[in-house]
Amino acid sequence: MAGCADFLDKGPITSPVGSTYLSSENQVYSYVNGLYQALPSLTQYGSGVRAVEKNSDNIISEKYDPRINGELTPFDGYRDWSASYQNLRDINYFFEYYQVPKERETEGILSLCGEVYFLRAWWHFNLLRKFGDIPLMDGFWDGNATLEGLQIPATPRKKAALFILSDLDKAISLLQCRSVCSGLRINKEAALILAMNVALYEGSWEKYHSSDEFAAEDADPDMFFAKVMEYGDGLFAHIPPQKGLNTLENDPFGAVDGGEAFAHMFNQKDYSDVQEAVFWKKYDVSKGVQHSLTVLLASGTVDNEAAAGLTKSLVDTYLNADGTAIDPSDPDFKDFNRTFEGRDRRLTETVMSTGHKFRSVSMTMPMKVAEYIYDDTSDEALRHNASLNPPRLGGDGNSRNITGYHTALGVDTTYVNASFWDTGLVIIRYAEALLAYAEAAEELGRCTDEVLGRTIKPLRERAGVAWKTPEYDPHFTDYGYPLTPNMQEIRRERRTELALQGFRLDDILRWRGHKVIAGQRGRGAYVGKDGVLYKSFNRNDPAVVEVLASLRSDAQGWADPLQEKLPDGYSFRPDRDYLLPIPPEDITLDVKLEQNPGWQL
């Protein structure tokens, strides 16, 4: 099953097929369970969501994302287009053949129907973000499987977004609360948060793209921002912000501080008792439901497809613990260890630093960056040198780090050597709602101290960051246009709280923030010969000397690993690359479709 073009060759969706197939609770439950298989998951082999942000300014990879370098072709949208419509066909099959009599529609069955409405919204939102105007698959299209029947025009993005929200409204009215399923099934709170994300995305797209090739028809961004707040008010009435986050006070895993409570959202096996894990996926090695992410992260892999590393830009975004912003040009940050001292605790839980558990090639030991001691054979010096475990800047393969910054987010500190692992994957988190609400409020000019106090402030305080009234930061990320101090801090919070969770590219796109990508290629840690990172390697070893000599850095000594591969930075095309190309085959079949800007053959 694929895109519209394949409908003429479509076979049956499942077996058995018939008018009574979805007429009992067991049949409905079984079918809906099958629809979950397409949702995000951690793969048997791969870094999954932790590496996806090589499509942004958060990760540098030697196998960079071709979209941000303007390398896609008009045929490269096919996979996303066809997979989403395949999933929508499976969903609409449910609505076509659902025949449970009303007298047998229990709360459980109705909630399953709500799950299907949620999933139809999910996959339409996936298409909206990637393609803009899209044909809405609001019914079972198999009856249209003729050339004449498949002449379906794209719905303008604003109307498509409203349709998605209408499906989520239906889902919200039918779904049971998180407490019924411990977050393991789609629930009312998850639908409210997804609705906030949809409205925020469309509202900001309509605002920031109002005068370019991607402007929405009849744009009304404020209407969408207001919807974000309406959905948020509904969620907060059900679960107040002070109860929605996993904090030191309510963490069930024994966190010693708020930073660890944050980290526990990514490295635990069971989130049943964690309110912030609104919707999550459980893994179990004993049942063969497993993944390799923990193994990869523990060995230092950032991107299992190629050598990679987190960026200096991401590291520089985190605040000091006293709530002040850093000056990235401060020479103190040439010291690898100083970079992490007295900072937002999310930094040390997201990026590997001295003391964090880290597996070397042969054994498990903490990362340690300190000067290697030469010409001293004392036991103390030998123990010191043996304890050094700096970033893996050398070696072959995907575990080589090209920036000095390894991923810490998701490393289970109870890690033991194993081929597979079963930490859970949180798909929707309560923190997303706080971030969306604050951003929408600021866009509407309604971001008061009270709003900040119940959205951004609790996120910062959990991370051990003192709350300060936002002040203008001259070193903040340049998106190509001015931001208020409030918006700077809201965007900062979004980047740090959601780092390595798959949000960054979508945020850059909806904010029309191509300036952070186009002509840029990112940097890493300081690798100058006077820095402790460089000095932590044993330069008596010829192989190490060769590795150090191969490091690429800019004129100031910061790691610049892609300087030869991308001498002019990423070639993202702002007149084209904000949207993916609609598959030409579908445009040929459906003459009512129009290609996205810049992708015409």
Side-chain angles (χ1 to χ4, degrees):
M1 294 178 289
C4 308
D6 293 321
F7 269 93
L8 299 178
D9 302 315
K10 199 73 70 178
I13 212 165
T14 187
S15 182
V17 176
S19 60
T20 61
Y21 175 46
L22 293 173
S23 59
S24 72
E25 182 168 0
N26 284 341
Q27 290 170 336
V28 170
Y29 184 78
S30 176
Y31 190 85
V32 174
N33 280 352
L35 298 178
Y36 274 67
Q37 295 178 18
L39 288 172
S41 62
L42 299 175
T43 59
Q44 186 102 339
Y45 302 96
S47 301
V49 68
R50 296 293 167 258
V52 74
E53 288 181 3
K54 66 181 180 182
N55 63 10
S56 73
D57 57 344
N58 280 352
I59 296 175
I60 301 171
S61 176
E62 289 188 343
K63 187 178 180 181
Y64 53 78
D65 186 287
R67 181 178 184 179
I68 63 174
N69 198 39
E71 293 180 2
L72 296 184
T73 73
F75 302 92
D76 282 323
Y78 178 80
R79 182 176 179 180
D80 292 289
W81 179 273
S82 62
S84 295
Y85 278 111
Q86 169 188 324
N87 294 326
L88 285 169
R89 177 180 183 255
D90 293 349
I91 288 162
N92 283 314
Y93 176 93
F94 174 89
F95 290 121
E96 180 78 7
Y97 288 103
Y98 174 83
Q99 294 193 38
V100 177
K102 284 191 176 296
E103 62 273 14
R104 285 165 46 196
E105 285 186 321
T106 62
E107 285 188 13
I109 289 179
L110 290 174
S111 189
L112 288 167
C113 294
E115 293 177 25
V116 184
Y117 277 114
F118 175 100
L119 290 168
R120 191 163 72 175
W122 178 284
W123 292 112
H124 274 122
F125 184 38
N126 188 58
L127 286 163
L128 177 74
R129 296 196 314 271
K130 294 177 178 178
F131 297 97
D133 299 351
I134 51 171
L136 290 177
M137 188 179 271
D138 55 356
F140 195 49
W141 278 5
D142 280 34
N144 295 3
T146 63
L147 284 174
E148 181 180 348
L150 288 175
Q151 302 307 300
I152 302 169
T155 297
R157 61 174 305 131
K158 176 186 173 184
K159 291 183 179 179
L162 291 172
F163 174 80
I164 293 167
L165 292 176
S166 71
D167 263 359
L168 287 170
D169 288 337
K170 294 169 187 172
I172 291 164
S173 70
L174 295 170
L175 286 164
Q176 294 176 324
C177 294
R178 181 200 184 279
S179 57
V180 175
C181 58
S182 300
L184 283 165
R185 297 197 71 86
I186 295 164
N187 52 72
K188 190 181 298 291
E189 295 92 326
L192 283 164
I193 295 172
L194 180 59
M196 295 176 75
N197 286 338
V198 170
L200 182 68
Y201 193 95
E202 183 58 24
S204 49
W205 184 284
E206 291 188 8
K207 174 179 177 176
Y208 293 101
H209 289 277
S210 62
S211 59
D212 67 11
E213 299 90 338
F214 309 101
E217 182 180 299
D218 300 322
D220 189 358
D222 286 357
M223 179 264 290
F224 285 104
F225 294 138
K227 283 185 175 293
V228 176
M229 298 188 73
E230 290 170 13
Y231 287 118
D233 288 337
L235 176 68
F236 300 156
H238 183 57
I239 304 176
Q242 63 268 28
K243 293 184 178 180
L245 292 181
N246 191 55
T247 63
L248 175 62
E249 290 72 28
N250 62 18
D251 176 67
F253 309 115
V256 299
D257 57 38
E260 193 169 61
F262 165 79
H264 283 163
M265 295 305 306
F266 310 96
N267 62 14
Q268 300 298 309
K269 296 181 180 181
D270 192 333
Y271 292 103
S272 299
D273 297 327
V274 181
Q275 191 86 291
E276 186 174 348
V278 175
F279 176 41
W280 64 285
K281 179 177 174 61
K282 184 176 178 63
Y283 292 83
D284 188 339
V285 169
S286 68
K287 297 179 180 178
V289 184
Q290 58 200 18
H291 57 78
S292 58
L293 176 61
T294 300
V295 182
L296 290 168
L297 294 179
S299 62
T301 300
V302 172
D303 172 19
N304 67 294
E305 294 184 337
L310 308 187
T311 64
K312 181 178 186 293
S313 170
L314 174 61
V315 171
D316 289 344
T317 302
Y318 293 83
L319 294 170
N320 290 314
D322 65 4
T324 59
I326 72 161
D327 177 354
S329 64
D330 187 332
D332 279 356
F333 295 120
K334 291 182 177 180
D335 184 322
F336 183 88
N337 294 321
R338 169 64 186 89
T339 298
F340 298 92
E341 293 174 359
R343 303 282 295 278
D344 183 329
R345 283 282 284 111
R346 287 170 296 191
L347 173 58
T348 51
E349 296 296 348
T350 302
V351 185
M352 285 273 188
S353 60
T354 292
H356 200 290
K357 190 168 184 182
F358 182 52
R359 195 184 86 181
S360 68
V361 176
S362 59
M363 61 186 296
T364 300
M365 58 191 294
M367 176 178 280
K368 184 175 179 180
V369 175
E371 287 193 36
Y372 191 93
I373 298 175
Y374 297 92
D375 303 322
D376 186 342
T377 58
S378 67
D379 289 344
E380 183 179 356
L382 293 175
R383 284 194 298 270
H384 170 84
N385 288 343
S387 70
L388 296 181
N389 191 20
R392 293 188 62 182
L393 298 177
D396 298 319
N398 302 336
S399 61
R400 180 168 61 88
N401 191 284
I402 62 176
T403 67
Y405 297 132
H406 288 272
T407 300
L409 194 76
V411 174
D412 188 338
T413 53
T414 65
Y415 176 81
V416 293
N417 196 12
S419 297
F420 299 104
W421 209 244
D422 51 8
T423 49
L425 173 65
V426 179
I427 299 172
I428 294 180
R429 211 160 43 96
Y430 187 88
E432 297 171 40
L434 302 182
L435 294 163
Y437 194 91
E439 185 178 338
E442 179 63 15
E443 293 287 10
L444 292 170
R446 292 160 55 183
C447 191
T448 62
D449 290 343
E450 187 273 333
V451 169
L452 289 173
R454 63 188 180 123
T455 56
I456 304 303
K457 183 180 178 182
L459 290 169
R460 288 205 174 156
E461 290 182 338
R462 170 171 67 174
V465 178
W467 175 250
K468 287 175 63 71
T469 300
E471 299 176 354
Y472 176 73
D473 176 9
H475 306 293
F476 190 70
T477 304
D478 182 5
Y479 290 94
Y481 45 83
L483 297 172
T484 64
N486 276 359
M487 189 59 83
Q488 281 187 334
E489 295 313 307
I490 289 166
R491 290 194 181 185
R492 183 197 307 278
E493 198 66 19
R494 188 168 180 90
R495 188 176 185 185
T496 54
E497 181 71 25
L498 301 179
L500 311 186
Q501 296 156 61
F503 289 88
R504 184 61 176 165
L505 177 63
D506 280 338
D507 286 344
I508 290 170
L509 296 178
R510 66 185 177 89
W511 292 332
R512 199 173 188 270
H514 61 266
K515 188 170 183 179
V516 306
I517 296 176
Q520 309 294 326
R521 60 174 177 262
R523 298 294 188 272
Y526 185 74
V527 292
K529 293 181 180 180
D530 58 331
V532 68
L533 179 56
Y534 185 93
K535 293 179 179 179
S536 66
F537 291 91
N538 176 12
R539 296 186 300 282
N540 286 332
D541 184 337
V544 170
V545 172
E546 184 178 353
V547 167
L548 295 175
S550 69
L551 296 179
R552 297 288 176 265
S553 61
D554 63 18
Q556 289 73 44
W558 300 95
D560 186 6
L562 299 185
Q563 63 178 231
E564 295 179 357
K565 190 169 280 194
L566 298 171
D568 298 318
Y570 295 119
S571 298
F572 182 90
R573 286 182 48 180
D575 62 338
R576 185 194 70 176
D577 293 330
Y578 273 106
L579 293 175
L580 294 179
I582 297 172
E585 180 183 11
D586 280 69
I587 293 176
T588 300
L589 178 69
D590 180 357
V591 298
K592 293 187 178 182
L593 285 180
E594 295 184 8
Q595 184 57 277
N596 280 325
W599 290 111
Q600 290 77 8
L601 290 172

